[in-house]
Amino acid sequence: MHYRRHSWLDSYKEMPVCPGVTPERTREYAIHLDEALYDLWQLGENILLAWAPTDGGILVLRVHHYDLVELESADGDAGGLINEIMAGDKLCAWERLFELADIFDTEPERLELPFTPGEGLDERFISEIIKRYGITLVKDRAVALIDAVGFSLYSPIQQVTQLNSLSYSANSAYSKLLSKDIDIAFARSTTGDGFYLWNRSTGIDANLELFQFLVLILADNAIALSKARNHSVPRLRACFHVGSHYEFYQEEALSPTRFSYLVGDVTIELARMIDKARPGQFLVGEFSVRMHTDKEGRSERIDSAEFIRRSRQNIFHLDEIELSGDSIESIKCYLTGPKCGEGEYGIDHYEIEDKHGLKRGVYNAKITINRHHHEPLYIGIRSADMDDFGTA
């Protein structure tokens, strides 16, 4: 029980260590803090929103999980305030912590600890531990959705073989990124006939790395599909989008799970997009969001077209690798559109409508895989085949 409770610490390849503190002592402090927070959490009855350092310990703001809904129901303008709290830093100044406590008509809880925050345990690491017992709003995360076409029509043994093939493509893509010194902290959540993919890190670099990862998965799958027999490899359709979502840790064996789950606008948008995507299609959602660019918190606004433009440089570094037994010469990705001049192309924007009558903007993407000693492979569909797809 004790080992299982704290095995989540193994997900930190390099746990933040304060000067003069050994990794063993850091883990000991982390376990002590986690035990104290677990008691406050009460199996998920409470949500831990924020904290502040104090002499000999920390102050933690906890609220009942239903308090968030009740606050929003009582005050129509509270939704923005709740999102501000969720998106803010878990580490607060004392004044801010007590302001938040007044909003929820409660008092911060004091936890006595055998170390001083910032000296015995890194303050950012403390915030990461507290996140496991709360909810966080992330505004600029890239998420991909991959779907196996016609999955329900296949026999159970074909289905499990296709899912295994898709998992292999993901594992193979991850190993290729590692060979290029790109160590993406990817996570995935199953949808039954596919899965959501995201990078646990956030920011422009993390989002670009996720896009690289997705392109490699699709490329590996496409090559495997060209060689497969008896429906052992799935035909895919895929969507990519950047937006906001809530991040939380579900309960598992009476403790928060090791990895987080996502729910919110970006996953909802992707689900609506995949419903409209055609077999073999690759859609990129229309977005324009601020993405942070460094540890100092600087950010810049990036839209879909600019993001794909920047991704080309990243994908360029994936040349000369091997996927499903084929040697890759180059991989190129672009948004489709009409020819505008000699060697120049525009970008078509489409508007699709879901079953609820809600409309959203998307772009049609294509990937070209140039292989040594083989004909090129193409992922996605052409602009010429998009005449009756939404509103251009």
Side-chain angles (χ1 to χ4, degrees):
M1 174 68 174
H2 184 74
Y3 173 79
R4 184 172 68 249
R5 275 281 314 280
H6 303 296
S7 63
W8 63 270
L9 285 169
D10 298 332
S11 63
Y12 287 90
K13 297 179 181 177
E14 293 185 11
M15 197 180 301
V17 175
C18 292
V21 182
T22 64
E24 293 76 18
R25 183 55 60 87
T26 298
R27 183 183 177 91
E28 178 185 322
Y29 288 161
I31 289 175
H32 188 103
L33 174 61
D34 189 53
E35 292 283 359
L37 296 175
Y38 179 83
D39 290 339
L40 286 183
W41 181 61
Q42 289 293 300
L43 303 181
E45 179 183 8
N46 297 318
I47 292 172
L48 308 188
L49 289 181
W51 74 282
T54 186
D55 293 336
I58 62 174
L59 294 175
V60 180
L61 177 61
R62 69 167 175 175
V63 300
H64 293 298
H65 62 269
Y66 51 75
D67 285 342
L68 300 176
V69 178
E70 289 186 355
L71 178 61
E72 186 177 35
S73 300
D75 183 353
D77 297 326
L81 173 62
I82 293 173
N83 284 343
E84 178 187 339
I85 296 171
M86 298 295 186
D89 196 334
K90 298 303 179 188
L91 172 59
C92 290
W94 267 50
E95 296 80 3
R96 178 58 174 165
L97 191 71
F98 280 93
E99 285 177 6
L100 297 178
D102 287 341
I103 292 172
F104 290 98
D105 193 24
T106 187
E107 292 288 334
E109 299 277 347
R110 180 184 176 88
L111 295 182
E112 300 290 341
L113 299 171
F115 60 87
T116 300
E119 297 179 10
L121 207 58
D122 183 84
E123 290 185 340
R124 289 171 299 177
F125 190 33
I126 294 175
S127 290
E128 287 299 314
I129 298 175
I130 288 177
K131 281 182 181 179
R132 298 183 70 243
Y133 297 98
I135 300 174
T136 302
L137 175 63
V138 181
K139 296 183 177 181
D140 63 345
R141 175 170 272 139
V143 182
L145 176 56
I146 300 174
D147 183 75
V149 175
F151 185 78
S152 62
L153 302 178
Y154 295 110
S155 68
I157 189 62
Q158 288 174 325
Q159 289 180 342
V160 72
T161 302
Q162 288 194 359
L163 290 178
N164 186 73
S165 172
L166 188 52
S167 292
Y168 170 77
S169 290
N171 293 336
S172 176
Y174 179 65
S175 71
K176 302 309 177 187
L177 289 178
L178 284 178
S179 71
K180 299 289 186 177
D181 295 323
I182 301 171
D183 189 3
I184 180 174
F186 83 91
R188 65 185 178 189
S189 176
T190 183
T191 62
D193 49 4
F195 45 70
Y196 289 101
L197 279 172
W198 66 93
N199 193 339
R200 296 187 188 97
S201 301
T202 57
I204 178 63
D205 290 337
N207 290 342
L208 287 169
E209 288 173 355
L210 179 76
F211 193 80
Q212 285 178 286
F213 185 41
L214 174 62
V215 167
L216 281 185
I217 292 174
L218 297 179
D220 187 272
N221 167 263
I223 296 171
L225 185 62
S226 70
K227 303 175 181 180
R229 298 179 180 179
N230 302 322
H231 307 293
S232 60
V233 177
R235 187 183 185 192
L236 303 179
R237 53 183 179 175
C239 297
F240 181 90
H241 196 39
V242 180
S244 65
H245 65 84
Y246 293 103
E247 183 176 21
F248 67 103
Y249 294 77
Q250 290 182 333
E251 178 192 329
E252 183 178 273
L254 304 183
S255 295
T257 48
R258 181 174 177 179
F259 299 124
S260 60
Y261 291 81
L262 311 184
V263 61
D265 290 343
V266 67
T267 54
I268 293 171
E269 292 287 314
L270 284 167
R272 300 294 181 261
M273 288 163 58
I274 208 74
D275 282 343
K276 292 293 183 179
R278 295 174 176 174
Q281 189 168 23
F282 180 20
L283 290 176
V284 174
E286 180 184 18
F287 58 83
S288 177
V289 300
R290 298 200 68 85
M291 302 184 197
H292 62 268
T293 57
D294 52 36
K295 293 181 180 179
E296 281 68 44
R298 288 187 287 265
S299 66
E300 59 180 300
R301 184 165 293 278
I302 308 290
D303 63 17
S304 307
E306 173 62 15
F307 184 89
I308 297 301
R309 187 191 69 78
R310 295 193 186 193
S311 75
R312 294 194 190 112
Q313 184 62 33
N314 288 53
I315 295 173
F316 172 77
H317 295 296
L318 301 179
D319 296 350
E320 304 300 332
I321 61 175
E322 186 176 291
L323 293 173
S324 286
D326 286 359
S327 178
I328 305 302
E329 180 181 340
S330 66
I331 301 175
K332 300 177 181 178
C333 182
Y334 52 93
L335 302 179
T336 65
K339 188 171 184 179
C340 301
E342 190 62 34
E344 294 184 358
Y345 292 84
I347 298 174
D348 277 332
H349 173 270
Y350 299 89
E351 195 173 69
I352 57 176
E353 184 175 329
D354 64 21
K355 61 184 179 182
H356 303 293
L358 299 176
K359 296 181 179 180
R360 55 191 39 84
V362 297
Y363 299 93
N364 182 55
K366 284 198 70 178
I367 301 171
T368 301
I369 308 167
N370 294 308
R371 302 174 290 172
H372 293 290
H373 315 302
H374 292 85
E375 291 295 316
L377 275 179
Y378 302 97
I379 299 172
I381 63 178
R382 305 177 307 162
S383 287
D385 299 324
M386 297 278 288
D387 290 343
D388 58 342
F389 182 84
T391 304

